[in-house]
Amino acid sequence: TVELPRDVDANFLATDRGGDGFCCLYGDGYVKIFAGASAEDESALLAFERAEFQSDLAIKFRAGPAPSVAPATTPRPTVASNKMPSTGSTSSSLCGRSGRPPCVEVTVVVQLDKFSAETSWSIGSSDGSTNFVTRPTGYFEEMQSQKIIETVSLPDDGVRYRFTIVDFMGDGICCWAGNGWYSLYEGRDVEDESTQLFHGRG
């Protein structure tokens, strides 16, 4: 427990030297920040984030009484059906709340190869200063050759975004290991081609 000035916007920063957060392959890590000294009182929860990041995790919060509604948790993505519904919606802690910019929804679709644990992706600002969403190496460990659809919320304040997808072994998500690909859509309707922002082969 630490003391901070009341009603001050604070920034919590966690770092991982290995660059893979502290979740997924190595455990179900997370960060919770509470108002007061009790970590058992969920009504005092100020911020909650799963430890799905690479080198740095920044959490902005206001020191003082807890908000009336606790921040939403981030569910795991689900495997797509043949109709490709939008699933796995998340609420970013950086938008859509009092004093923060509105949110815009984008949907990430990834066809994984048979070595799905090697695939990671992230969405950050184009200048590299902010990382909004990360699905680190190991996140898709049990989803070999599956199609993943996940809708995420990003701050809609004029920022330009960068989508990055990485294969840990450096051989992509195609060819001998499977016919992988990825797409990004504005909104949730992945069947509407007019909303597709880009598409790439693995």
Side-chain angles (χ1 to χ4, degrees), residues 75-193:
R76 296 276 291 203
T78 58
V79 177
S81 69
N82 291 333
K83 292 288 288 182
M84 292 180 67
S86 175
T87 58
S89 177
T90 65
S91 296
S92 171
S93 62
L94 300 177
C95 64
R97 298 179 188 163
S98 177
R100 295 177 182 175
C103 293
V104 60
E105 288 187 328
V106 297
T107 299
V108 179
V109 184
V110 180
Q111 173 62 57
L112 299 165
D113 66 8
K114 64 182 180 180
F115 299 108
S116 56
E118 298 174 359
T119 302
S120 62
W121 63 260
S122 64
I123 300 176
S125 59
S126 61
D127 62 5
S129 63
T130 306
N131 187 42
F132 300 115
V133 185
T134 299
R135 299 294 177 253
T137 303
Y139 191 84
F140 304 111
E141 181 181 12
E142 299 178 359
M143 301 180 182
Q144 296 89 344
S145 302
Q146 302 296 331
K147 184 186 296 177
I148 303 303
I149 301 178
E150 186 171 4
T151 300
V152 298
S153 296
L154 303 173
D156 186 16
D157 58 353
V159 67
R160 294 182 64 84
Y161 307 106
R162 174 181 293 170
F163 175 81
T164 303
I165 185 166
V166 176
D167 183 83
F168 182 76
M169 295 303 294
D171 56 0
I173 52 174
C174 77
C175 313
W176 68 273
N179 188 26
W181 51 266
Y182 53 90
S183 294
L184 195 72
Y185 295 82
E186 183 175 359
R188 292 171 171 260
D189 188 357
V190 298
E191 296 185 352
D192 182 0
E193 292 186 358

Side-chain angles (χ1 to χ4, degrees), residues 1-2 4 6 31-48 61-71:
T1 301
V2 297
L4 299 174
R6 190 177 182 86
V31 175
K32 287 185 177 182
I33 302 173
F34 293 86
S38 175
E40 304 298 327
D41 183 5
E42 292 293 326
S43 67
L45 186 66
L46 296 174
F48 172 84
F61 66 98
R62 176 170 286 269
S68 58
V69 178

Side-chain angles (χ1 to χ4, degrees), residues 9-61:
D9 289 324
N11 187 51
F12 173 88
L13 179 65
T15 60
D16 183 84
R17 190 168 61 179
D20 56 2
F22 45 97
C23 77
C24 311
L25 280 177
Y26 306 107
D28 191 22
Y30 62 85
V31 175
K32 287 185 177 182
I33 302 173
F34 293 86
S38 175
E40 304 298 327
D41 183 5
E42 292 293 326
S43 67
L45 186 66
L46 296 174
F48 172 84
E49 291 287 344
R50 285 176 53 87
E52 300 155 7
F53 64 99
Q54 293 177 344
S55 297
D56 302 291
L57 171 66
I59 304 174
K60 294 182 179 180
F61 66 98

